[in-house]
Amino acid sequence: MASAITRIRASQLSRQIRHFSSSSARYAAEVKSLGVLGAGQMGLGIALVAAQKAGVPVTLVDSSQASLDKGIGFAEKLLSKDVSKQRITQEQADQARSRLSPTTSIEELSKVDFVIEAVPEIPQLKFDIFAKLAEICPKHAILATNTSSISITKIAAATTKDPNDTSASSRVVSTHFMNPVPVQKGVEIISGLQTSAETLETAVAFCKAMGKIPSVSADSPGFLANRILMPYINEAVICLETGVGDRDSIDAIMKNGTNVPMGPLQLADFIGLDTCLAIMKVLHQETGDSKYRPSVLLAKMVDAGWLGKKSGKGFYDY
Ligand SMILES: NC(=O)c1ccc[n+]([C@@H]2O[C@H](COP(=O)([O-])OP(=O)(O)OC[C@H]3O[C@@H](n4cnc5c(N)ncnc54)[C@H](O)[C@@H]3O)[C@@H](O)[C@H]2O)c1
């Protein structure tokens, strides 16, 4: 039953996205300012691309001043690199930098038209933040999340104590950007049960204004990208653990046989083995389908603290 509803909803969404092209310029034009919450790996990239490509002022909020300083320093470095490679002029870099306003005060989001939340993947943290955003943001503002795996319907429900009052929950949507944001063109736009058609259209239009190529999907565990990618990575780890092939053979056949820039084990190291395991657990628990059982070796590597590139050791040494 649940999967039938998901299928109907996905086909409705794909019909909607075809209709969007005519109205997307109108909806994008309605977003005159952006707020980004969380200046980490993803939030910083989203803020910088919005300032550069969509040309809107961006209020960048983080609870940590150190994260803001690090993020802004990194943005300046990326802009200088673009100037030195003659991808943009110094004037364009200065304009983009001047559109970024870092702050530790979430109240600064009281005037923005569109917010994208990119704080850590902790459900209660996101629920609390969306309750707060519903309170402080303008009543027309779109409230978007960059979550990798948390249900959009649950995040939207956190904006109100009365489920029948959808004045805030209908403005909640997911804009799931891919890492690294300045490089990857794809973005998944996911509607919760409460999300209105207008919210979805505005999110699609704004992501296009950022130079991205949106794909629309239903609120289902893993959405589209991770529903497809994570079982692929997990299967590669199972092939290693059961001796079907060694590390180099597994990565080489996928890299050289399917024209991807890196094999699944190397990609898992780049994503983070803890992140891969967490997403597999969500797929497994929320669907109850044994085909999503996380590999034993993947769980053991996380137990050992071998998380991939970020910890210095994963399937490869860094
Ligand atoms: N890293 C990826 O490859 C990737 C890809 C797609 C989606 N995501 C999702 O994007 C989100 C952010 O991931 P990330 O990798 O950028 O995390 P990160 O740890 O790099 O950054 C999170 C930032 O949020 C800040 N923060 C924490 N609590 C806060 C609060 N209460 N208010 C304001 N700021 C707060 C932290 O100081 C930090 O700077 C997560 O939901 C993640 O699942 C990550």
Side-chain angles (χ1 to χ4, degrees), residues 38 40-42 62-63 67 118-121 126 146 148 176-177 179:
Q41 213 183 150
M42 298 303 290
D62 200 293
S63 50
S67 289
V119 303
E121 191 76 346
K126 300 216 191 244
N146 193 53
S148 305
H176 181 211
F177 290 86
N179 192 12

Side-chain angles (χ1 to χ4, degrees), residues 13 15 29 67 72 87-88 95 117 150 157-158 161 177 191 201 207-208 228 253 255 259 295 313:
L13 293 174
R15 272 201 306 280
S67 289
I72 291 292
R87 289 196 278 251
I88 57 171
Q95 277 173 353
E117 164 279 313
I150 302 167
K161 289 193 168 64
F177 290 86
S191 288
E201 291 201 32
C207 288
K208 282 185 181 168
I228 297 167
I253 191 61
K255 188 174 166 192
N259 202 21
S295 140
K313 185 171 176 58

Side-chain angles (χ1 to χ4, degrees), residues 168-289:
S169 59
S170 62
R171 292 182 279 116
V172 175
V173 66
S174 170
T175 49
H176 181 211
F177 290 86
M178 305 288 133
N179 192 12
V181 183
V183 176
Q184 305 288 10
K185 289 251 176 265
V187 57
E188 275 186 283
I189 316 282
I190 304 132
S191 288
L193 278 187
Q194 308 93 327
T195 308
S196 70
E198 190 182 351
T199 298
L200 182 61
E201 291 201 32
T202 309
V204 168
F206 187 65
C207 288
K208 282 185 181 168
M210 286 176 67
K212 300 300 178 195
I213 302 171
S215 293
V216 172
S217 71
D219 186 16
S220 180
F223 315 129
L224 273 182
N226 286 327
R227 172 82 169 252
I228 297 167
L229 179 64
M230 287 305 159
Y232 158 75
I233 286 175
N234 194 51
E235 200 59 35
V237 184
I238 292 173
C239 285
L240 181 67
E241 131 189 4
T242 55
V244 180
D246 63 16
R247 178 195 75 181
D248 293 344
S249 295
I250 292 168
D251 273 358
I253 191 61
M254 299 318 291
K255 188 174 166 192
N256 301 314
T258 65
N259 202 21
V260 287
M262 60 181 88
L265 300 175
Q266 191 185 1
L267 178 59
D269 275 359
F270 275 76
I271 293 169
L273 302 191
D274 51 341
T275 304
C276 295
L277 180 64
I279 297 170
M280 282 311 295
K281 282 182 175 169
V282 168
L283 283 172
H284 191 214
Q285 280 160 12
E286 295 203 7
T287 62
D289 191 332

Side-chain angles (χ1 to χ4, degrees), residues 145-160:
T145 172
N146 193 53
T147 180
S148 305
S149 60
I150 302 167
S151 154
I152 314 309
T153 302
K154 279 189 195 162
I155 293 177
T159 59
T160 178

